[in-house]
Amino acid sequence: MTIRVLIADDQEMVRRGLCRILESQPDMAVVCEAADGVAAVEMARRFQPDVALVDIRMPRMDGLEVTRLLAGPDVATPVRVVVVTTFDLDEYVYPALRHGASGFLLKRSGPALLIEAVRAAVAGDSLISPSVTVRLLKHVTGSGPGQEPLPEPLTEREIEIAGQVAEGKTNADIAAELFISPGTVKTHVASVQRKLGVRNRVGIAVRAWEMGYARPR
């Protein structure tokens, strides 16, 4: 299956570079490019890419609003958005992840991590790298809004798994540590996602850091 990608960045040179990296992969194709946020939303709705790589600072509409419109909780058919930016500032990281982004990647991360981020987003395994995403999530620990009690509280096992998702662990990692099957972990993760009202593993991680379920390292 070919992974169809949208690239949204106001710099043509950056778009060209990202396009070369992605199209070097036999299973990836760039289906459209946008130089501003409004065009990015229009193209995403028209072409329905599997993944949208979105810069933060763009004309007409910034990447945070693009992320909200494409991947936010009120979107009926969300697009997997990976924010690709030069800036790892807290005021960008936190809103992007809260708006439904499947990852937050720094432009200096290099081709291998970019490709990994796209594949991870498609697989729904959105925490792309402990060295990047988890570090950024730690920056936003305690900076989120006050938490109201969940309508349906997490079980002790679900709290444990949510914390491990926030630490960047895969289902296989969690299964090995807890001596349960990967299928059981997947079921728990789906339940946690539903109870927390989030779209993906990044959403679980953000809420887990906010609620104190993750262990700082």
Side-chain angles (χ1 to χ4, degrees):
M1 182 186 74
T2 299
I3 300 172
R4 303 168 69 254
V5 183
L6 176 154
I7 297 173
D9 195 292
D10 62 333
Q11 297 184 50
E12 183 179 357
M13 185 171 63
V14 172
R15 295 198 307 273
R16 194 179 304 143
L18 294 174
C19 187
R20 279 199 299 267
I21 292 168
L22 296 176
E23 296 204 329
S24 70
Q25 302 300 299
D27 61 341
M28 294 185 187
V30 176
V31 294
C32 50
E33 299 179 26
D36 64 71
V38 172
V41 172
E42 292 173 351
M43 288 185 178
R45 289 173 175 170
R46 177 181 174 187
F47 292 98
Q48 288 294 303
D50 299 304
V51 179
L53 301 181
V54 176
D55 189 19
I56 288 286
R57 295 183 178 178
M58 293 188 292
R60 297 211 288 168
M61 181 186 296
D62 68 23
L64 298 178
E65 182 65 7
V66 171
T67 301
R68 186 185 70 81
L69 291 175
L70 296 183
D74 299 326
V75 180
T77 55
V79 175
R80 299 176 179 93
V81 174
V82 175
V83 174
V84 183
T85 182
T86 306
F87 309 98
D88 61 350
L89 304 176
D90 290 0
E91 59 262 38
Y92 293 153
V93 178
Y94 185 79
L97 300 181
R98 291 289 291 180
H99 287 342
S102 294
F104 191 102
L105 184 66
L106 302 181
K107 288 180 179 178
R108 64 176 179 266
S109 299
L113 198 56
L114 175 69
I115 292 166
E116 180 187 348
V118 172
R119 295 193 194 285
V122 170
D125 214 8
S126 304
L127 286 178
I128 59 173
S129 169
S131 65
V132 177
T133 305
V134 172
R135 181 181 62 78
L136 295 174
L137 286 169
K138 287 181 180 180
H139 286 328
V140 304
T141 302
S143 65
Q147 297 300 314
E148 297 180 359
L150 296 174
E152 187 179 355
L154 303 187
T155 66
E156 289 187 12
R157 176 64 91 187
E158 288 170 346
I159 288 173
E160 187 175 21
I161 287 175
Q164 296 202 15
V165 168
E167 293 166 19
K169 294 181 180 177
T170 66
N171 286 357
D173 295 334
I174 297 170
E177 184 162 331
L178 300 182
F179 301 102
I180 57 180
S181 72
T184 299
V185 175
K186 184 177 180 180
T187 299
H188 282 307
V189 168
S191 178
V192 170
Q193 188 172 309
R194 176 181 59 79
K195 289 181 179 181
L196 294 181
V198 297
R199 287 202 182 277
N200 52 41
R201 293 173 77 92
V202 168
I204 292 175
V206 171
R207 294 297 306 276
W209 282 107
E210 289 176 351
M211 301 173 81
Y213 297 156
R215 301 187 300 269
R217 294 185 184 278

